[in-house]
Amino acid sequence: MPAEGSRSFWLQLAESISRATSQPFVIENTTSASGGCINSAYVVSGGGKEYFVKTNRADLLDMFEAEGEALSVMSQSRTVRVPRPVNWGKADDTAWLAMEYIKLGGSGSQALLGEQLAAMHRSSADRFGWHRDNTIGSTPQHNRWHDNWIEFFRDQRLAYQLSLARRHGHHGSLQRNGERLLEVIEEFFTAYQPLPSMLHGDLWGGNYSTDESGQPVIYDPAFYYGDREADIAMTELFGGFGQDFHDAYNAAWPLDSGYAVRRTLYNLYHVINHLNLFGGGYAMQAENMINQLLSLRN
Ligand code: ADP
């Protein structure tokens, strides 16, 4: 039986939440919440309090620690609503992350998200990266601080995913043309100087919803400070974000005209990550994107 199926796990979790919130918490009800890609999730409630709890293997506590820290920093920006983290830890063989439970699925305007995301992107750092590594899906994501965005994105994002793809047996033209792209990547930035913006980092439609009052909520970040175009690019990769969102974002903080090309560069990171996570057709998609980028520089 997995640890979270045991009474001892829930007792330890409740005790830990009580300590973290300085309020007694006794779990009366545990409901499994579906929808996540990586972890198990539950809504735990008792005495009028409710928390959202993600669980996984004990050795993955680091992943939850990074997510908890990211939610905390994002929530301090007071821009887009994110669940406030409560605490994280491990009990028996299980790691957990507990956070504020937010009733999702209200109706709201995506324009508000565009406006608030632009405000979040104005939260800055003096370099690119973060003080710790985290994960994108279940893939490690390296965030070593860097003064130079192009080197950061080349080495810690694209080159790393390409090396993972090599380890997974994806050789040949993907690697050859990928290497070529890394060599010429500076050419996509000749008239553009990115700023280190606070990023969600994994902003696909599944990581966005609205609360009961219609306020946008984002969750499950792959947080770091980077070029804001990377967040916007991902909103266009799998759909779910409409014209209202883009118009409001651009009204609040217009994008550079070179974004239309760099969008493919930034989304290549996610497509190679999908290749590494799921295999299959993503290889062809990644190759097409690389070829398109290489042909655009002429
Ligand atoms: P995973 O890390 O496994 O992908 P997510 O963090 O994406 O899990 O959460 C899975 C789903 O649970 C989300 O798609 C969302 O619908 C819901 N969810 C996430 N966080 C909360 C929360 N704090 N309160 C209520 N529902 C949440």
Side-chain angles (χ1 to χ4, degrees):
M1 181 161 60
E4 64 259 40
S6 80
R7 194 172 139 72
S8 141
F9 172 78
W10 297 110
L11 284 173
Q12 292 177 68
L13 172 74
E15 205 177 292
S16 181
I17 290 178
S18 299
R19 272 198 306 274
T21 57
S22 306
Q23 290 180 343
F25 179 57
V26 176
I27 297 176
E28 290 161 8
N29 213 348
T30 305
T31 315
S32 174
S34 57
C37 306
I38 311 289
N39 305 292
S40 302
Y42 303 88
V43 181
V44 295
S45 57
K49 300 186 193 72
E50 270 180 319
Y51 300 99
F52 188 80
V53 176
K54 290 164 69 159
T55 64
N56 211 320
R57 298 196 318 262
D59 60 299
L60 296 174
L61 177 59
D62 243 25
M63 180 180 71
F64 285 152
E65 217 168 74
E67 183 174 343
E69 271 193 48
L71 291 174
S72 171
V73 181
M74 292 167 82
S75 112
Q76 280 159 24
S77 78
R78 299 188 170 280
T79 52
V80 193
R81 184 175 186 191
V82 298
R84 281 190 309 270
V86 174
N87 69 347
W88 49 85
K90 52 186 168 186
D92 301 339
D93 286 333
T94 300
W96 89 80
L97 167 64
M99 65 184 89
E100 170 189 16
Y101 170 69
I102 302 177
K103 210 162 196 189
L104 299 172
S107 62
S109 96
Q110 289 201 345
L112 203 51
L113 176 67
E115 223 172 85
Q116 294 179 349
L117 188 67
M120 192 181 101
H121 286 166
R122 288 196 190 273
S123 301
S124 199
D126 54 6
R127 282 173 298 167
F128 301 97
W130 198 26
H131 75 96
R132 64 175 302 155
D133 295 342
N134 48 10
T135 45
I136 175 92
S138 54
T139 310
Q141 175 166 272
H142 298 294
N143 298 317
R144 202 172 52 254
W145 289 116
H146 216 303
D147 291 321
N148 183 318
W149 167 253
I150 304 174
E151 287 176 14
F152 176 92
F153 188 74
R154 183 191 63 199
D155 299 343
Q156 300 194 61
R157 293 291 181 266
L158 286 186
Y160 177 67
Q161 290 284 353
L162 274 170
S163 76
L164 283 185
R166 204 161 36 242
R167 264 188 262 164
H168 293 149
H170 301 287
H171 301 285
S173 53
L174 175 76
Q175 295 293 339
R176 268 195 315 278
N177 294 336
E179 282 300 319
R180 179 91 194 99
L181 181 65
L182 299 182
E183 282 164 18
V184 301
I185 195 168
E186 292 198 5
E187 295 180 25
F188 297 96
F189 295 87
T190 47
Y192 177 63
Q193 281 225 314
L195 300 169
S197 286
M198 178 182 287
L199 301 187
H200 178 284
D202 193 9
L203 198 51
W204 68 291
N207 285 342
Y208 152 71
S209 188
T210 37
D211 67 16
E212 281 185 303
S213 71
Q215 281 286 325
V217 186
I218 55 178
Y219 33 82
D220 203 15
F223 184 90
Y224 65 106
Y225 290 91
D227 183 4
R228 64 198 178 101
E229 288 184 355
D231 258 0
I232 302 300
M234 193 167 195
T235 65
E236 298 199 69
L237 183 57
F238 299 115
F241 298 84
Q243 198 54 45
D244 285 0
F245 163 77
H246 292 286
D247 289 347
Y249 184 92
N250 269 287
W253 193 1
L255 290 168
D256 181 87
S257 60
Y259 162 72
V261 171
R262 283 185 295 272
R263 172 176 54 203
T264 306
L265 187 68
Y266 289 141
N267 281 340
L268 180 60
Y269 171 63
H270 296 292
V271 171
I272 306 178
N273 186 41
H274 275 64
L275 172 63
N276 285 319
L277 290 170
F278 310 116
Y282 291 109
M284 183 62 81
Q285 190 178 353
E287 278 212 51
N288 288 341
M289 290 167 87
I290 293 171
N291 293 339
Q292 188 194 342
L293 286 162
L294 287 174
S295 73
L296 279 169
R297 17 176 313 265
N298 301 319

